[in-house]
Each structure stands twice: as C-alpha cells, then as structure tokens.
C-alpha cells in the first residue's frame, strides 16, 4: 500500500468538500483580548476573535495571571509527575476543594483536560459498575461518547433532550440494572439547554445515576458560576457534575465533582487519571484564582449577556439566520461547507474578524455554521463591525436571510 498517497487522497477529499481545517496562527495580546495578532505568510495583522471559548476573558484577568506567575516563582514549571508519583501539589489540593465547594459536593477530582475528565470518569464508572447501562443523549460531546465506548458497557442512545424517549428507554431496561444517564447542560453547537430537573425526576424514578457535563456553563450561570444546575437549584440532585477549566475559567484542565466515595473510586480505577502527568501547579493556581473571582463577581456574566443580546439584535435586524436558544452561544447558520469557509476566510482576510467555520463531523452536513461567542470584553464598535461585515458577506454569497424549517420550528 502506498501510505502517503492514501493520506494525500483523503486530504484532497476534505479540500474538495470544503471541510479541510486550517489553523489560524494567532497570538493573544495580554490585556487586549479579544484582539490578537494573526500571522499569515510572514505578514502579521491585528484581528478580533469572535469564536473563543474563553467566554469571559478570564485568561487575561490580572488576578489569574498574577496567581500563575506567583506559582511559577514558588514551584517552578511542572508538577513533576503523575498525581500518584510526586505530582500532587498543594495547589491541586486547594483547587479541588474550591471546585467541590463551587458545586456543593463533598469532593472534586482534577484531570488534564475536559476531554480526559469525561473519557476517564464515564469510562471508569460504566466499566467498573457490573451490568451498568449508560443512557447517552444523542448530541453528547465526543469525549463522552469515547468514554462510554471505551467502557464497553451497554449503551442506549436517547433522542436529544427528548424526555419521552428517555423514559421509554429507561422503562424498557431491567429495573434492577445499574443505570447512568449522561447528558450536557448547554450544548455547544446549537446552544440549547437540557431539561435537567425533568431528567433528574426520571433518574430517581428508575434508580439511575446522573452525569452532567457543564463545560459550557461553569463560570457563566448561577449566582457563583456553578452552571445551569446551580442556577436552577439542582446540584444536590446530580450524581456527578463535570466541568472544564479551559473555557469560562480561562486556563486548562477538567474535573468532576461528586461524593467523596465516587471521586475516590474514579481516582483509584481510572487509567486516564492514574497514568498521566498532573497539571502544572501554575495552572491549578490560576484556575483557583479564576473560580474564586467568579464566585463573587457578577459583572463579567452580566456584561456578557448584554453583549449576546446586542449581537442577536444586530443579526435579527439584517435577517441573518441564527439558531434561537437561551444560552450565550450564537450559531449563525450557513448550511454549506464551501460558503461557510469562504465567509470565515474573507472575514479574516478582509475584515480582521476571526470566526472559525464549523462543519461536519462536528455538526451534521447541511448545518454548517459560524459559532459566535460574544464576551464582556467585546466593545460596541466590535459588535457594529461584526454585524456590518456579516451583512455584506451574506449579500455577496446570496445566502437566504431566513432560518430553515428546522430552525423555524425550534423558534416556535
């Protein structure tokens, strides 16, 4: 087999379909986010980032940066090993206590990323509980899917946010079988929110554990940034709450919060925890500073919601189609991979706006989109420039300025 030719042919297919992904060479500017320097063919220019998951700009916050500098001065660069072999530092212990408190749980357990926390925790729970059946929402993140697949446990996929389908599938399973319902709070591509309370009702009715991924909600919702479950007063009803430190908290890493026994169980059996080097102490210190700040400050969340409303209003004024949802994520629907990439490329090259195109397999074919995430550090001028630029490109591409039937149904 000509391996290199095979690789080249498959990559050519992605180019032909408009799905080939190009990484923008960006350099964030401390204190100036969402501005960044973009380098292309040795030319550098300033751009405005509109698709970052640093939802509140905490990656640039002075308290976070100062905490990381202090930890480097105290501890040096790395953790020195796995958590089992010299890699558990006092900064890790303090951060886990902070996260347990954030979610009203007895304990928390850190991982190197949100992907790893889902893969390791779900994979371990489903694999190690004899006869466990996992009920997974159809739109769960790839990390959840991979964890469940890795566990080799019985898996039942239920229609996205469909309570009737979930109950029918729970009722069809043996009543005494261990069950785990895995779902997200805010879904990152459509921005819709799960009916958490109703899912908890079904879990209690059928004797199931609940596993809630809050990665796109922690820091952003609730009086202390504990997520949708905190906002709705539901944290005590959830078995496991999983979150990330790499989005609204502005750093990197993932975690679960649960009972002391469950966290200790995952700590003791999860290969994805046991055999990987711990996060650097500076990262843990920065994350802790971010969590502490957002537990007390409402300003960032309030300004972000204002920016989200203003961007939506601007899109509506020009009839640019975007999915209606109650979250901070604004999916602008293009519906064609080639046009989606063209708009993204042109925004970057001609308008100084960076929004990465989202296409298959991240979203289904025919639902290609630009995923816009307004932050509290975007200005009124940034918003005006974004809306005007999108309006011009929509006309150039002759994209229908109406939502498709699927989106219209969602709006109704």
């Amino acid at each position: 087999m000509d391996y290199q030719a095979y690789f080249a042919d498959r990559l050519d297919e992605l180019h032909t379909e408009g799905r080939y992904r190009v990484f923008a060479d960006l350099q964030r500017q401390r204190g100036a986010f969402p501005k960044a320097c973009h380098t292309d063919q040795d030319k550098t220019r300033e751009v405005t980032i509109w698709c970052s998951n640093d939802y509140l700009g905490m990656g640039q916050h002075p308290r976070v940066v100062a905490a990381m500098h202090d930890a480097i001065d105290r501890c040096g660069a790395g953790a020195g090993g796995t958590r089992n072999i010299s890699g558990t530092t006092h900064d890790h212990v303090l951060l886990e206590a902070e996260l347990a408190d954030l979610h009203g749980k007895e304990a928390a357990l850190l991982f190197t990323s949100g992907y790893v926390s889902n893969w390791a925790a779900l994979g371990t729970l489903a694999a190690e509980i004899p006869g466990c059946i996992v009920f997974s929402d159809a739109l769960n993140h790839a990390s959840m899917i991979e964890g469940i697949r890795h566990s080799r446990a019985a898996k039942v996929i239920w229609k996205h946010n469909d309570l009737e389908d979930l109950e029918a599938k729970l009722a069809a399973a043996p009543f005494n079988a261990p069950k785990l319902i895995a779902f997200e709070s805010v879904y990152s591509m459509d921005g819709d929110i799960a009916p958490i309370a109703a899912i908890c009702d079904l879990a209690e009715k059928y004797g199931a554990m609940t596993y809630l991924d809050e990665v796109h909600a922690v820091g952003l919702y609730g009086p202390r940034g504990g997520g949708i479950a905190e906002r709705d007063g539901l944290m005590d009803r959830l078995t496991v709450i999983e979150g990330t430190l790499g989005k609204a908290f502005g750093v990197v890493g993932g975690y679960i919060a649960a009972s002391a026994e469950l966290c200790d169980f995952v700590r003791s059996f999860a290969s994805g925890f046991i055999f990987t080097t711990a996060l650097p102490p500076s990262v843990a210190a920065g994350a802790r500073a971010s969590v502490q700040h957002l537990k007390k400050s409402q300003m960032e969340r309030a300004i972000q919601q204002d920016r989200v409303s203003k961007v939506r209003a601007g899109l509506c004024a020009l009839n640019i189609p975007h999915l209606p949802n109650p979250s901070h994520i604004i999916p602008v629907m293009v519906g064609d991979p080639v046009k989606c990439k063209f708009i993204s490329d042109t925004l970057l090259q001609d308008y100084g706006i960076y929004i990465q195109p989202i296409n298959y397999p991240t979203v289904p074919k025919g639902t290609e989109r630009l995923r816009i995430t307004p932050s509290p550090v975007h200005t009124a001028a940034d918003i005006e420039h974004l809306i005007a630029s999108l309006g011009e490109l929509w006309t150039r591409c002759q994209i229908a300025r109406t939502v498709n039937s699927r989106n219209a149904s969602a709006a109704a």
Side-chain angles (χ1 to χ4, degrees):
M1 180 177 184
D2 187 338
Y3 298 108
Q4 303 311 313
Y6 173 76
F7 299 149
D9 288 344
R10 292 298 303 274
L11 290 171
D12 285 343
E13 290 176 13
L14 292 180
H15 281 286
T16 301
E17 296 172 11
R19 295 196 294 117
Y20 182 78
R21 302 184 183 197
V22 177
F23 292 161
D25 184 348
L26 300 170
Q27 181 170 298
R28 286 156 60 106
Q29 303 172 41
R30 178 182 170 186
F33 183 77
K35 306 301 179 185
C37 289
H38 173 241
T39 301
D40 183 27
Q41 297 179 346
D42 297 326
K43 295 181 180 179
T44 300
R45 62 174 300 189
E46 185 178 85
V47 299
T48 303
I49 299 174
W50 274 101
C51 57
S52 175
N53 284 341
D54 186 358
Y55 291 131
L56 300 177
M58 292 302 293
Q60 306 287 311
H61 196 281
R63 286 189 61 184
V64 176
V65 175
M68 296 184 75
H69 276 296
D70 174 69
I72 289 176
D73 291 339
R74 284 188 289 106
C75 305
T82 68
R83 291 291 297 276
N84 291 294
I85 304 175
S86 81
T88 296
T89 72
H90 192 52
D91 288 291
H92 295 99
V93 174
L94 292 175
L95 175 55
E96 286 176 337
E98 202 73 55
L99 292 167
D101 173 77
L102 176 66
H103 295 292
K105 298 296 186 184
E106 292 179 337
L109 189 65
L110 283 172
F111 296 85
T112 51
S113 72
Y115 191 104
V116 173
S117 58
N118 269 335
W119 178 83
L122 272 172
T124 299
L125 290 170
E128 296 294 335
I129 298 173
C132 184
I133 304 171
V134 182
F135 296 81
S136 178
D137 185 285
L139 294 188
N140 276 343
H141 189 263
S143 59
M144 303 174 78
I145 294 169
E146 287 297 328
I148 296 165
R149 180 182 296 144
H150 176 73
S151 75
R152 299 185 179 179
K155 175 182 65 177
V156 177
I157 298 174
W158 50 286
K159 296 177 184 176
H160 176 56
N161 280 348
D162 189 324
L163 296 170
E164 290 185 4
D165 189 55
L166 173 59
E167 179 160 25
K169 288 178 165 60
L170 286 166
F175 184 79
N176 291 327
K179 304 175 187 67
L180 175 62
I181 304 173
F183 61 108
E184 302 180 37
S185 58
V186 177
Y187 285 83
S188 64
M189 289 299 113
D190 287 354
D192 54 338
I193 295 176
I196 300 174
I199 292 172
C200 288
D201 290 342
L202 292 176
E204 290 161 8
K205 180 177 179 180
Y206 291 95
M209 296 184 295
T210 47
Y211 185 104
L212 176 64
D213 176 318
E214 287 256 49
V215 298
H216 292 278
V218 290
L220 298 166
Y221 300 92
R224 300 198 308 159
I228 299 296
E230 186 197 24
R231 184 196 70 179
D232 296 348
L234 299 168
M235 293 191 298
D236 61 313
R237 300 183 65 190
L238 293 154
T239 311
V240 181
I241 296 175
E242 184 267 348
T244 185
L245 305 169
K247 293 183 171 58
F249 292 131
V251 196
V252 67
Y255 65 89
I256 59 170
S259 69
E261 291 83 4
L262 189 148
C263 288
D264 196 15
F265 183 86
V266 174
R267 181 188 71 87
S268 300
F269 290 100
S271 63
F273 176 86
I274 295 170
F275 296 106
T276 191
T277 299
L279 289 169
S282 58
V283 170
R288 181 170 174 248
S290 184
V291 173
Q292 287 178 326
H293 176 80
L294 291 175
K295 281 181 177 179
K296 298 176 181 177
S297 175
Q298 301 297 326
M299 179 182 68
E300 290 82 4
R301 289 187 281 273
I303 298 176
Q304 187 212 32
Q305 290 301 317
D306 174 73
R307 300 294 187 268
V308 170
S309 297
K310 284 182 168 58
V311 171
R312 285 193 181 278
L315 294 171
C316 288
L318 295 182
N319 291 322
I320 295 176
H322 56 286
L323 290 184
N325 64 54
S327 77
H328 59 284
I329 295 168
I330 305 177
V332 172
M333 306 305 290
V334 180
D336 179 277
V338 176
K339 288 183 178 180
C340 195
K341 189 175 188 310
F342 169 79
I343 293 173
S344 174
D345 290 346
T346 307
L347 283 172
L348 185 62
Q349 295 164 7
D350 297 348
Y351 297 90
I353 292 172
Y354 173 59
I355 309 175
Q356 183 72 5
I358 306 295
N359 51 32
Y360 179 84
T362 305
V363 295
K365 292 181 179 180
T367 69
E368 292 80 11
R369 66 198 66 185
L370 302 173
R371 179 181 176 274
I372 298 175
T373 54
S375 78
V377 290
H378 284 101
T379 66
D382 291 333
I383 295 173
E384 182 179 352
H385 180 53
L386 171 70
I387 299 302
S389 303
L390 283 172
E392 291 178 15
L393 287 174
W394 233 251
T395 299
R396 285 176 62 181
C397 288
Q398 296 182 328
I399 300 174
R401 291 175 179 261
T402 56
V403 293
N404 59 35
S405 57
R406 171 176 172 269
N407 302 336
S409 298

